[in-house]
mmCIF file of all heavy atoms in Angstrom:
data_model
loop_
_atom_site.group_PDB
_atom_site.id
_atom_site.type_symbol
_atom_site.label_atom_id
_atom_site.label_comp_id
_atom_site.label_asym_id
_atom_site.label_seq_id
_atom_site.Cartn_x
_atom_site.Cartn_y
_atom_site.Cartn_z
ATOM 1 N N LEU A 10 -120.674 -48.221 116.697
ATOM 2 C CA LEU A 10 -120.233 -46.846 116.981
ATOM 3 C C LEU A 10 -118.735 -46.834 117.206
ATOM 4 O O LEU A 10 -118.210 -47.655 117.948
ATOM 5 C CB LEU A 10 -120.932 -46.318 118.233
ATOM 6 C CG LEU A 10 -122.467 -46.378 118.232
ATOM 7 C CD1 LEU A 10 -123.011 -45.906 119.576
ATOM 8 C CD2 LEU A 10 -123.039 -45.553 117.102
ATOM 9 N N VAL A 11 -118.076 -45.872 116.580
ATOM 10 C CA VAL A 11 -116.632 -45.730 116.738
ATOM 11 C C VAL A 11 -116.330 -44.268 117.016
ATOM 12 O O VAL A 11 -116.591 -43.394 116.185
ATOM 13 C CB VAL A 11 -115.870 -46.195 115.490
ATOM 14 C CG1 VAL A 11 -114.370 -45.993 115.691
ATOM 15 C CG2 VAL A 11 -116.173 -47.655 115.198
ATOM 16 N N GLU A 12 -115.750 -44.030 118.186
ATOM 17 C CA GLU A 12 -115.367 -42.670 118.558
ATOM 18 C C GLU A 12 -113.947 -42.365 118.092
ATOM 19 O O GLU A 12 -113.101 -43.268 118.003
ATOM 20 C CB GLU A 12 -115.427 -42.477 120.090
ATOM 21 C CG GLU A 12 -116.759 -42.766 120.705
ATOM 22 C CD GLU A 12 -116.874 -44.178 121.234
ATOM 23 O OE1 GLU A 12 -116.139 -45.065 120.737
ATOM 24 O OE2 GLU A 12 -117.695 -44.428 122.146
ATOM 25 N N SER A 13 -113.695 -41.120 117.833
ATOM 26 C CA SER A 13 -112.359 -40.665 117.488
ATOM 27 C C SER A 13 -112.219 -39.198 117.906
ATOM 28 O O SER A 13 -113.207 -38.554 118.257
ATOM 29 C CB SER A 13 -112.080 -40.814 116.005
ATOM 30 O OG SER A 13 -112.977 -40.032 115.236
ATOM 31 N N GLY A 14 -110.988 -38.723 117.861
ATOM 32 C CA GLY A 14 -110.751 -37.313 118.143
ATOM 33 C C GLY A 14 -110.248 -37.005 119.522
ATOM 34 O O GLY A 14 -109.937 -35.858 119.842
ATOM 35 N N GLY A 15 -110.148 -38.010 120.361
ATOM 36 C CA GLY A 15 -109.623 -37.779 121.689
ATOM 37 C C GLY A 15 -108.117 -37.546 121.645
ATOM 38 O O GLY A 15 -107.492 -37.623 120.607
ATOM 39 N N GLY A 16 -107.573 -37.248 122.794
ATOM 40 C CA GLY A 16 -106.135 -37.009 122.875
ATOM 41 C C GLY A 16 -105.833 -36.077 124.017
ATOM 42 O O GLY A 16 -106.599 -35.962 124.969
ATOM 43 N N LEU A 17 -104.711 -35.431 123.890
ATOM 44 C CA LEU A 17 -104.248 -34.532 124.936
ATOM 45 C C LEU A 17 -104.633 -33.104 124.599
ATOM 46 O O LEU A 17 -104.341 -32.621 123.513
ATOM 47 C CB LEU A 17 -102.732 -34.642 125.081
ATOM 48 C CG LEU A 17 -102.076 -33.770 126.145
ATOM 49 C CD1 LEU A 17 -102.579 -34.138 127.539
ATOM 50 C CD2 LEU A 17 -100.554 -33.901 126.076
ATOM 51 N N GLY A 18 -105.298 -32.442 125.544
ATOM 52 C CA GLY A 18 -105.649 -31.043 125.383
ATOM 53 C C GLY A 18 -105.131 -30.226 126.545
ATOM 54 O O GLY A 18 -104.770 -30.781 127.586
ATOM 55 N N GLN A 19 -105.089 -28.957 126.361
ATOM 56 C CA GLN A 19 -104.642 -28.061 127.422
ATOM 57 C C GLN A 19 -105.836 -27.354 128.049
ATOM 58 O O GLN A 19 -106.854 -27.102 127.370
ATOM 59 C CB GLN A 19 -103.661 -27.036 126.891
ATOM 60 C CG GLN A 19 -102.320 -27.617 126.491
ATOM 61 C CD GLN A 19 -101.274 -26.552 126.198
ATOM 62 O OE1 GLN A 19 -101.612 -25.436 125.852
ATOM 63 N NE2 GLN A 19 -100.013 -26.919 126.356
ATOM 64 N N ALA A 20 -105.703 -27.032 129.302
ATOM 65 C CA ALA A 20 -106.760 -26.279 129.970
ATOM 66 C C ALA A 20 -107.040 -25.000 129.188
ATOM 67 O O ALA A 20 -106.112 -24.283 128.808
ATOM 68 C CB ALA A 20 -106.365 -25.970 131.400
ATOM 69 N N GLY A 21 -108.309 -24.769 128.949
ATOM 70 C CA GLY A 21 -108.719 -23.614 128.178
ATOM 71 C C GLY A 21 -108.804 -23.854 126.678
ATOM 72 O O GLY A 21 -109.318 -23.025 125.940
ATOM 73 N N GLY A 22 -108.302 -24.996 126.257
ATOM 74 C CA GLY A 22 -108.312 -25.324 124.844
ATOM 75 C C GLY A 22 -109.562 -26.051 124.406
ATOM 76 O O GLY A 22 -110.557 -26.112 125.153
ATOM 77 N N SER A 23 -109.491 -26.628 123.211
ATOM 78 C CA SER A 23 -110.661 -27.277 122.609
ATOM 79 C C SER A 23 -110.263 -28.602 121.977
ATOM 80 O O SER A 23 -109.116 -28.798 121.547
ATOM 81 C CB SER A 23 -111.282 -26.384 121.537
ATOM 82 O OG SER A 23 -111.735 -25.160 122.069
ATOM 83 N N LEU A 24 -111.216 -29.489 121.927
ATOM 84 C CA LEU A 24 -111.108 -30.740 121.189
ATOM 85 C C LEU A 24 -112.454 -31.019 120.548
ATOM 86 O O LEU A 24 -113.489 -30.583 121.055
ATOM 87 C CB LEU A 24 -110.731 -31.906 122.105
ATOM 88 C CG LEU A 24 -109.312 -31.991 122.658
ATOM 89 C CD1 LEU A 24 -109.221 -33.100 123.700
ATOM 90 C CD2 LEU A 24 -108.314 -32.235 121.528
ATOM 91 N N ARG A 25 -112.443 -31.765 119.474
ATOM 92 C CA ARG A 25 -113.699 -32.218 118.875
ATOM 93 C C ARG A 25 -113.672 -33.725 118.733
ATOM 94 O O ARG A 25 -112.779 -34.279 118.093
ATOM 95 C CB ARG A 25 -113.960 -31.571 117.513
ATOM 96 C CG ARG A 25 -115.375 -31.879 117.000
ATOM 97 C CD ARG A 25 -115.714 -31.173 115.717
ATOM 98 N NE ARG A 25 -115.178 -31.879 114.560
ATOM 99 C CZ ARG A 25 -115.679 -31.748 113.339
ATOM 100 N NH1 ARG A 25 -116.709 -30.957 113.114
ATOM 101 N NH2 ARG A 25 -115.135 -32.415 112.337
ATOM 102 N N LEU A 26 -114.640 -34.350 119.310
ATOM 103 C CA LEU A 26 -114.799 -35.797 119.223
ATOM 104 C C LEU A 26 -115.819 -36.121 118.157
ATOM 105 O O LEU A 26 -116.789 -35.384 117.951
ATOM 106 C CB LEU A 26 -115.257 -36.370 120.564
ATOM 107 C CG LEU A 26 -114.447 -35.970 121.791
ATOM 108 C CD1 LEU A 26 -114.979 -36.694 123.018
ATOM 109 C CD2 LEU A 26 -112.969 -36.221 121.593
ATOM 110 N N SER A 27 -115.612 -37.243 117.489
ATOM 111 C CA SER A 27 -116.539 -37.717 116.473
ATOM 112 C C SER A 27 -117.023 -39.108 116.831
ATOM 113 O O SER A 27 -116.280 -39.904 117.427
ATOM 114 C CB SER A 27 -115.865 -37.756 115.098
ATOM 115 O OG SER A 27 -115.458 -36.483 114.687
ATOM 116 N N CYS A 28 -118.245 -39.389 116.437
ATOM 117 C CA CYS A 28 -118.814 -40.717 116.624
ATOM 118 C C CYS A 28 -119.364 -41.150 115.287
ATOM 119 O O CYS A 28 -120.345 -40.582 114.799
ATOM 120 C CB CYS A 28 -119.899 -40.694 117.682
ATOM 121 S SG CYS A 28 -120.768 -42.268 117.889
ATOM 122 N N ALA A 29 -118.731 -42.137 114.699
ATOM 123 C CA ALA A 29 -119.169 -42.646 113.413
ATOM 124 C C ALA A 29 -120.064 -43.852 113.610
ATOM 125 O O ALA A 29 -119.751 -44.750 114.406
ATOM 126 C CB ALA A 29 -117.964 -43.028 112.556
ATOM 127 N N CYS A 30 -121.168 -43.872 112.904
ATOM 128 C CA CYS A 30 -122.127 -44.957 113.001
ATOM 129 C C CYS A 30 -122.071 -45.785 111.733
ATOM 130 O O CYS A 30 -122.040 -45.230 110.636
ATOM 131 C CB CYS A 30 -123.541 -44.425 113.178
ATOM 132 S SG CYS A 30 -123.744 -43.281 114.534
ATOM 133 N N SER A 31 -122.111 -47.081 111.890
ATOM 134 C CA SER A 31 -122.186 -47.949 110.723
ATOM 135 C C SER A 31 -123.218 -49.031 110.981
ATOM 136 O O SER A 31 -123.542 -49.348 112.122
ATOM 137 C CB SER A 31 -120.833 -48.592 110.427
ATOM 138 O OG SER A 31 -120.421 -49.385 111.501
ATOM 139 N N GLY A 32 -123.758 -49.565 109.927
ATOM 140 C CA GLY A 32 -124.746 -50.628 110.049
ATOM 141 C C GLY A 32 -126.164 -50.155 109.844
ATOM 142 O O GLY A 32 -126.967 -50.842 109.235
ATOM 143 N N ARG A 33 -126.491 -49.012 110.358
ATOM 144 C CA ARG A 33 -127.806 -48.414 110.178
ATOM 145 C C ARG A 33 -127.625 -46.913 110.083
ATOM 146 O O ARG A 33 -126.677 -46.353 110.615
ATOM 147 C CB ARG A 33 -128.713 -48.727 111.380
ATOM 148 C CG ARG A 33 -129.102 -50.177 111.552
ATOM 149 C CD ARG A 33 -130.141 -50.610 110.529
ATOM 150 N NE ARG A 33 -131.357 -49.832 110.623
ATOM 151 C CZ ARG A 33 -132.352 -50.116 111.452
ATOM 152 N NH1 ARG A 33 -132.276 -51.161 112.251
ATOM 153 N NH2 ARG A 33 -133.444 -49.375 111.482
ATOM 154 N N PRO A 34 -128.535 -46.211 109.444
ATOM 155 C CA PRO A 34 -128.407 -44.750 109.385
ATOM 156 C C PRO A 34 -128.491 -44.119 110.758
ATOM 157 O O PRO A 34 -129.392 -44.447 111.538
ATOM 158 C CB PRO A 34 -129.612 -44.341 108.525
ATOM 159 C CG PRO A 34 -129.988 -45.562 107.758
ATOM 160 C CD PRO A 34 -129.661 -46.716 108.662
ATOM 161 N N SER A 35 -127.575 -43.233 111.033
ATOM 162 C CA SER A 35 -127.576 -42.581 112.355
ATOM 163 C C SER A 35 -128.813 -41.735 112.550
ATOM 164 O O SER A 35 -129.174 -41.422 113.689
ATOM 165 C CB SER A 35 -126.325 -41.743 112.537
ATOM 166 O OG SER A 35 -126.291 -40.700 111.574
ATOM 167 N N SER A 36 -129.489 -41.370 111.444
ATOM 168 C CA SER A 36 -130.671 -40.526 111.551
ATOM 169 C C SER A 36 -131.816 -41.201 112.300
ATOM 170 O O SER A 36 -132.763 -40.540 112.714
ATOM 171 C CB SER A 36 -131.140 -40.086 110.159
ATOM 172 O OG SER A 36 -131.411 -41.222 109.368
ATOM 173 N N SER A 37 -131.746 -42.506 112.483
ATOM 174 C CA SER A 37 -132.793 -43.231 113.195
ATOM 175 C C SER A 37 -132.578 -43.251 114.697
ATOM 176 O O SER A 37 -133.404 -43.798 115.431
ATOM 177 C CB SER A 37 -132.854 -44.676 112.694
ATOM 178 O OG SER A 37 -133.160 -44.730 111.321
ATOM 179 N N TYR A 38 -131.497 -42.658 115.155
ATOM 180 C CA TYR A 38 -131.080 -42.810 116.538
ATOM 181 C C TYR A 38 -130.968 -41.480 117.273
ATOM 182 O O TYR A 38 -130.471 -40.491 116.718
ATOM 183 C CB TYR A 38 -129.719 -43.491 116.605
ATOM 184 C CG TYR A 38 -129.738 -44.910 116.103
ATOM 185 C CD1 TYR A 38 -129.643 -45.176 114.745
ATOM 186 C CD2 TYR A 38 -129.876 -45.981 116.973
ATOM 187 C CE1 TYR A 38 -129.685 -46.475 114.268
ATOM 188 C CE2 TYR A 38 -129.904 -47.276 116.513
ATOM 189 C CZ TYR A 38 -129.802 -47.521 115.168
ATOM 190 O OH TYR A 38 -129.836 -48.809 114.694
ATOM 191 N N ALA A 39 -131.429 -41.472 118.506
ATOM 192 C CA ALA A 39 -131.001 -40.428 119.424
ATOM 193 C C ALA A 39 -129.592 -40.799 119.865
ATOM 194 O O ALA A 39 -129.293 -41.979 120.085
ATOM 195 C CB ALA A 39 -131.929 -40.350 120.630
ATOM 196 N N MET A 40 -128.744 -39.803 119.982
ATOM 197 C CA MET A 40 -127.340 -40.039 120.301
ATOM 198 C C MET A 40 -126.975 -39.310 121.585
ATOM 199 O O MET A 40 -127.578 -38.287 121.925
ATOM 200 C CB MET A 40 -126.446 -39.549 119.166
ATOM 201 C CG MET A 40 -126.794 -40.104 117.799
ATOM 202 S SD MET A 40 -126.499 -41.867 117.670
ATOM 203 C CE MET A 40 -124.708 -41.918 117.816
ATOM 204 N N ALA A 41 -125.961 -39.817 122.241
ATOM 205 C CA ALA A 41 -125.523 -39.183 123.469
ATOM 206 C C ALA A 41 -124.031 -39.396 123.672
ATOM 207 O O ALA A 41 -123.437 -40.306 123.104
ATOM 208 C CB ALA A 41 -126.297 -39.720 124.668
ATOM 209 N N TRP A 42 -123.482 -38.547 124.486
ATOM 210 C CA TRP A 42 -122.107 -38.704 124.939
ATOM 211 C C TRP A 42 -122.107 -38.840 126.461
ATOM 212 O O TRP A 42 -122.758 -38.062 127.166
ATOM 213 C CB TRP A 42 -121.265 -37.498 124.541
ATOM 214 C CG TRP A 42 -120.943 -37.438 123.082
ATOM 215 C CD1 TRP A 42 -121.661 -36.808 122.112
ATOM 216 C CD2 TRP A 42 -119.827 -38.048 122.419
ATOM 217 N NE1 TRP A 42 -121.064 -36.969 120.892
ATOM 218 C CE2 TRP A 42 -119.926 -37.726 121.046
ATOM 219 C CE3 TRP A 42 -118.748 -38.820 122.846
ATOM 220 C CZ2 TRP A 42 -118.998 -38.150 120.112
ATOM 221 C CZ3 TRP A 42 -117.826 -39.229 121.907
ATOM 222 C CH2 TRP A 42 -117.955 -38.900 120.552
ATOM 223 N N PHE A 43 -121.361 -39.821 126.916
ATOM 224 C CA PHE A 43 -121.121 -40.028 128.332
ATOM 225 C C PHE A 43 -119.624 -40.013 128.552
ATOM 226 O O PHE A 43 -118.838 -40.141 127.609
ATOM 227 C CB PHE A 43 -121.702 -41.368 128.787
ATOM 228 C CG PHE A 43 -123.202 -41.412 128.751
ATOM 229 C CD1 PHE A 43 -123.881 -41.618 127.562
ATOM 230 C CD2 PHE A 43 -123.944 -41.255 129.918
ATOM 231 C CE1 PHE A 43 -125.277 -41.649 127.525
ATOM 232 C CE2 PHE A 43 -125.332 -41.293 129.889
ATOM 233 C CZ PHE A 43 -125.992 -41.487 128.691
ATOM 234 N N ARG A 44 -119.230 -39.877 129.786
ATOM 235 C CA ARG A 44 -117.814 -39.933 130.085
ATOM 236 C C ARG A 44 -117.582 -40.615 131.414
ATOM 237 O O ARG A 44 -118.456 -40.619 132.282
ATOM 238 C CB ARG A 44 -117.206 -38.527 130.078
ATOM 239 C CG ARG A 44 -117.733 -37.612 131.171
ATOM 240 C CD ARG A 44 -117.123 -36.227 131.017
ATOM 241 N NE ARG A 44 -117.483 -35.340 132.119
ATOM 242 C CZ ARG A 44 -117.061 -34.090 132.241
ATOM 243 N NH1 ARG A 44 -116.262 -33.570 131.314
ATOM 244 N NH2 ARG A 44 -117.445 -33.358 133.279
#
């Protein structure tokens, strides 16, 4: 799993994070985000 899309945001703004899966199809997995 490789995350991307982070960075600096402003209060009230938006960001979109991505999680790319390699090795196996992501369709076989339940996915989650933690922080």
Side-chain angles (χ1 to χ4, degrees):
L10 305 176
V11 179
E12 303 95 336
S13 61
L17 180 63
Q19 291 190 335
S23 299
L24 288 172
R25 189 176 82 157
L26 309 183
S27 298
C28 175
C30 306
S31 62
R33 293 285 300 274
S35 62
S36 58
S37 299
Y38 295 83
M40 306 293 293
W42 287 92
F43 292 80
R44 65 183 186 179

